[in-house]
Amino acid sequence: MRLFSKLLLASSMVFLAACSETGPQEINVGKDQCDNCKMTISEPKYATQLITEKGRLYKFDDISCLNDYEVSNTETTANAKKYVADFPTGKFIESNTATFIKGGDIKSPMGGNTQAYQEKAAAEKAATELQATLTQ
């Protein structure tokens, strides 16, 4: 009976691990810490995440922190998936599909002053309103 219990427990753990989420996770505002600057993430619309090939998740409080971390950790971050928060909705989207605006009246947590948008039209409108520059 003990063997059966151990096998059941082991198979349950394998099943749960196989079903675990591999995409970005929700930000716990005020609790999660930036993996680059170590500050607490307080503004989720500027947050970013990086998931390595091995599945390790890193969270950042600003797009500039993600970029700095990536430059300093090229072995770890090679071929990693990057996610940014769509500024209007806060929903995470893949970085390579986002349109970015920078500068102007944007004030992000670490001074990167960059916002990401899923929709290019929304980015263009925000860039005009905030006197920012469309960068991608």
Side-chain angles (χ1 to χ4, degrees):
M1 191 57 137
R2 283 186 176 166
L3 178 62
F4 178 74
S5 296
K6 287 180 182 180
L7 287 174
L8 183 61
L9 178 62
S11 64
S12 296
M13 292 174 75
V14 168
F15 177 75
L16 288 173
C19 294
S20 67
E21 192 174 319
T22 57
Q25 296 177 0
E26 189 173 324
I27 297 292
N28 293 313
V29 177
K31 293 184 180 181
D32 283 340
Q33 192 177 55
C34 176
D35 283 302
N36 185 59
C37 71
K38 306 305 180 204
M39 290 184 65
T40 301
I41 299 174
S42 61
E43 296 186 54
K45 288 188 172 190
Y46 289 102
T48 65
Q49 296 185 37
L50 180 142
I51 303 174
T52 66
E53 278 187 307
K54 294 182 178 181
R56 171 90 159 86
L57 177 87
Y58 295 89
K59 296 180 181 180
F60 305 94
D61 64 344
D62 193 307
I63 292 170
S64 65
C65 279
L66 167 66
N67 293 337
D68 291 347
Y69 187 85
E70 209 173 5
V71 168
S72 301
N73 298 280
T74 54
E75 305 83 34
T76 306
T77 60
N79 301 315
K81 285 190 175 186
K82 297 181 285 184
Y83 296 90
V84 292
D86 174 43
F87 194 79
T89 66
K91 174 186 160 200
F92 281 101
I93 57 174
E94 286 198 47
S95 176
N96 61 354
T97 66
T99 301
F100 296 92
I101 64 172
K102 184 178 178 78
D105 295 330
I106 300 171
K107 302 291 182 230
S108 66
M110 293 304 294
N113 302 333
T114 303
Q115 294 176 349
Y117 290 82
Q118 185 169 18
E119 301 295 328
K120 186 173 184 173
E124 291 170 341
K125 181 179 178 195
T128 300
E129 292 171 1
L130 296 167
Q131 302 172 8
T133 304
L134 201 67
T135 61
Q136 181 182 13

